[in-house]
Amino acid sequence: LTLHTEVPGDPTEYQRTLDLRQAAARVEFVAGGTRFLRECFVSAPDNVLVMRLAATGPARLRIRIGFGSPLESVSEVAAGTLVCTGRCPVHR
């Protein structure tokens, strides 16, 4: 899964934090008069990675989402969810 974001100008006030106990990461910066926030956390028991992207100010979030896999697979969007279906080859 790849996320390509566009921001207006060079980032300033860049901060990033990592909380290993909560399995959470956060990045915050200002670009073009807009404060951008990226937060994500991982839950192994729930088998999920969650990411929140936000922008406060005149600029909007501009994101291109892509997906690629070296495996034989098909990806599609179903009910607002990116679904990848395929099979892993047998390793000998």
Side-chain angles (χ1 to χ4, degrees):
L1 181 65
T2 57
L3 301 175
H4 299 274
T5 59
E6 295 179 25
V7 295
D10 293 329
T12 61
E13 299 179 40
Y14 186 88
Q15 292 183 335
R16 81 185 157 170
T17 58
L18 175 63
D19 185 336
L20 294 176
R21 291 179 193 241
Q22 298 294 320
R26 176 183 175 109
V27 173
E28 190 172 358
F29 60 92
V30 175
T34 298
R35 181 166 297 279
F36 291 89
L37 174 67
R38 300 173 183 163
E39 295 177 302
C40 62
F41 74 91
V42 176
S43 172
D46 295 316
N47 196 29
V48 67
L49 175 136
V50 177
M51 180 177 278
R52 179 172 78 118
L53 306 173
T56 305
R60 304 269 185 205
L61 287 174
R62 296 181 55 121
I63 305 166
R64 287 186 328 228
I65 300 173
F67 183 80
S69 174
L71 305 178
E72 294 180 19
S73 63
V74 175
S75 56
E76 62 185 343
V77 175
T81 302
L82 179 62
V83 178
C84 178
T85 306
R87 291 184 177 231
C88 183
V90 176
H91 294 279
R92 297 179 194 246

